[in-house]
Amino acid sequence: MSNRKVLESLEQNIEGVEQLVYFIQYNEELTAKELMVDIETDHFKDYEYCLAIMLLAADDPVINRTRKRLFLRWFSEEMKKNGEEKTINRIEQLLTEEYHNFEIKKKRLEELDQQNKL
Protein backbone atom coordinates (compact mmCIF):
# COMPACT_ATOMS: atom_id res chain seq x y z
CA MET A 1 0.00 0.00 0.00
CA SER A 2 1.41 3.40 -0.92
CA ASN A 3 2.03 6.05 1.71
CA ARG A 4 -0.70 8.17 0.15
CA LYS A 5 -3.23 5.35 0.54
CA VAL A 6 -2.11 4.80 4.12
CA LEU A 7 -2.75 8.46 4.89
CA GLU A 8 -6.14 8.34 3.17
CA SER A 9 -6.99 5.21 5.12
CA LEU A 10 -5.94 6.78 8.41
CA GLU A 11 -8.06 9.83 7.64
CA GLN A 12 -11.04 7.48 7.60
CA ASN A 13 -9.88 5.70 10.75
CA ILE A 14 -8.82 8.23 13.37
CA GLU A 15 -8.60 5.37 15.88
CA GLY A 16 -5.64 4.03 13.93
CA VAL A 17 -3.96 7.42 14.10
CA GLU A 18 -4.51 7.53 17.86
CA GLN A 19 -2.90 4.09 18.22
CA LEU A 20 0.11 5.20 16.17
CA VAL A 21 0.39 8.30 18.32
CA TYR A 22 0.31 6.14 21.45
CA PHE A 23 3.07 3.85 20.23
CA ILE A 24 5.24 6.68 18.98
CA GLN A 25 4.85 8.71 22.17
CA TYR A 26 5.47 5.92 24.61
CA ASN A 27 8.34 4.20 22.84
CA GLU A 28 10.47 7.26 22.21
CA GLU A 29 9.58 10.93 22.23
CA LEU A 30 10.11 12.59 18.88
CA THR A 31 11.83 15.97 19.06
CA ALA A 32 12.00 18.76 16.52
CA LYS A 33 15.76 18.31 16.27
CA GLU A 34 15.39 14.60 15.41
CA LEU A 35 12.69 15.38 12.87
CA MET A 36 14.84 18.05 11.24
CA VAL A 37 17.72 15.55 10.97
CA ASP A 38 15.36 13.07 9.29
CA ILE A 39 14.20 15.73 6.85
CA GLU A 40 17.76 16.83 6.08
CA THR A 41 18.86 13.22 5.60
CA ASP A 42 16.41 12.10 2.94
CA HIS A 43 13.45 14.52 2.86
CA PHE A 44 11.22 11.53 3.68
CA LYS A 45 11.82 10.20 0.17
CA ASP A 46 9.26 7.44 -0.57
CA TYR A 47 7.54 7.91 2.77
CA GLU A 48 6.58 11.57 2.58
CA TYR A 49 3.05 11.02 3.81
CA CYS A 50 4.29 9.53 7.07
CA LEU A 51 5.52 12.99 8.01
CA ALA A 52 1.91 13.96 8.72
CA ILE A 53 1.64 11.17 11.29
CA MET A 54 4.91 12.16 12.89
CA LEU A 55 3.78 15.78 13.15
CA LEU A 56 0.53 14.64 14.76
CA ALA A 57 2.24 12.26 17.16
CA ALA A 58 4.98 14.46 18.49
CA ASP A 59 4.57 16.39 21.71
CA ASP A 60 7.60 18.58 21.19
CA PRO A 61 6.85 22.32 21.71
CA VAL A 62 8.50 23.31 18.41
CA ILE A 63 6.59 20.64 16.49
CA ASN A 64 3.37 21.68 18.24
CA ARG A 65 3.85 25.28 17.08
CA THR A 66 4.70 24.06 13.56
CA ARG A 67 1.56 21.93 13.49
CA LYS A 68 -0.58 24.90 14.54
CA ARG A 69 1.01 27.13 11.90
CA LEU A 70 0.42 24.49 9.24
CA PHE A 71 -3.22 24.20 10.27
CA LEU A 72 -3.73 27.96 10.18
CA ARG A 73 -2.16 28.16 6.72
CA TRP A 74 -4.32 25.30 5.49
CA PHE A 75 -7.40 26.94 6.95
CA SER A 76 -6.63 30.27 5.31
CA GLU A 77 -5.92 28.61 1.94
CA GLU A 78 -9.08 26.53 2.22
CA MET A 79 -11.17 29.63 2.89
CA LYS A 80 -9.65 31.41 -0.11
CA LYS A 81 -9.97 28.40 -2.41
CA ASN A 82 -13.42 27.12 -1.45
CA GLY A 83 -15.00 30.09 0.27
CA GLU A 84 -16.15 30.53 3.81
CA GLU A 85 -19.46 28.69 3.56
CA LYS A 86 -18.08 25.56 1.93
CA THR A 87 -15.13 25.39 4.33
CA ILE A 88 -17.34 25.85 7.38
CA ASN A 89 -19.80 23.26 6.06
CA ARG A 90 -16.94 20.77 5.64
CA ILE A 91 -15.72 21.43 9.17
CA GLU A 92 -19.27 21.04 10.47
CA GLN A 93 -19.57 17.72 8.65
CA LEU A 94 -16.33 16.42 10.16
CA LEU A 95 -17.30 17.62 13.64
CA THR A 96 -20.67 15.90 13.31
CA GLU A 97 -19.05 12.64 12.17
CA GLU A 98 -16.51 12.72 15.00
CA TYR A 99 -19.15 13.60 17.59
CA HIS A 100 -21.36 10.76 16.37
CA ASN A 101 -18.47 8.28 16.44
CA PHE A 102 -17.45 9.47 19.89
CA GLU A 103 -20.98 9.06 21.25
CA ILE A 104 -21.24 5.52 19.84
CA LYS A 105 -17.94 4.55 21.42
CA LYS A 106 -18.84 6.21 24.71
CA LYS A 107 -22.19 4.40 24.82
CA ARG A 108 -20.51 1.07 24.07
CA LEU A 109 -17.96 1.60 26.83
CA GLU A 110 -20.72 2.51 29.28
CA GLU A 111 -22.59 -0.68 28.33
CA LEU A 112 -19.47 -2.78 28.84
CA ASP A 113 -18.82 -1.07 32.15
CA GLN A 114 -22.36 -1.86 33.33
CA GLN A 115 -21.82 -5.49 32.32
CA ASN A 116 -18.50 -5.48 34.24
CA LYS A 117 -16.61 -6.34 31.06
CA LEU A 118 -14.13 -3.49 31.34
Side-chain angles (χ1 to χ4, degrees):
M1 179 181 284
S2 76
N3 288 317
R4 184 173 299 197
K5 288 185 180 184
V6 168
L7 186 61
E8 290 169 357
S9 175
L10 290 173
E11 180 183 348
Q12 299 304 314
N13 179 8
I14 198 68
E15 304 290 325
V17 172
E18 289 174 343
Q19 288 176 346
L20 283 171
V21 168
Y22 175 82
F23 290 120
I24 291 170
Q25 284 183 343
Y26 291 100
N27 285 332
E28 185 177 321
E29 189 63 41
L30 179 66
T31 66
K33 188 170 184 160
E34 292 168 339
L35 189 56
M36 291 184 327
V37 167
D38 286 344
I39 291 170
E40 290 171 8
T41 301
D42 62 5
H43 285 1
F44 285 83
K45 180 75 173 132
D46 296 327
Y47 62 106
E48 298 87 350
Y49 292 90
C50 291
L51 179 57
I53 302 303
M54 296 178 88
L55 289 172
L56 287 172
D59 197 27
D60 178 270
V62 174
I63 295 175
N64 286 338
R65 288 177 51 89
T66 301
R67 188 173 50 235
K68 289 173 183 176
R69 287 179 63 195
L70 285 168
F71 170 76
L72 291 171
R73 280 189 194 152
W74 166 84
F75 188 83
S76 179
E77 290 170 6
E78 198 71 14
M79 293 286 262
K80 288 176 187 172
K81 184 173 93 176
N82 295 318
E84 294 86 358
E85 185 175 350
K86 189 173 182 180
T87 302
I88 291 170
N89 288 342
R90 178 68 178 133
I91 292 169
E92 179 186 29
Q93 177 189 359
L94 288 170
L95 281 169
T96 301
E97 288 173 13
E98 289 303 321
Y99 181 78
H100 177 72
N101 292 337
F102 174 80
E103 288 298 316
I104 289 171
K105 185 174 182 176
K106 181 177 145 187
K107 184 178 178 182
R108 180 66 183 138
L109 289 172
E110 288 170 352
E111 290 169 357
L112 290 173
D113 188 40
Q114 288 176 354
Q115 298 169 4
N116 294 320
K117 292 185 179 181
L118 280 181

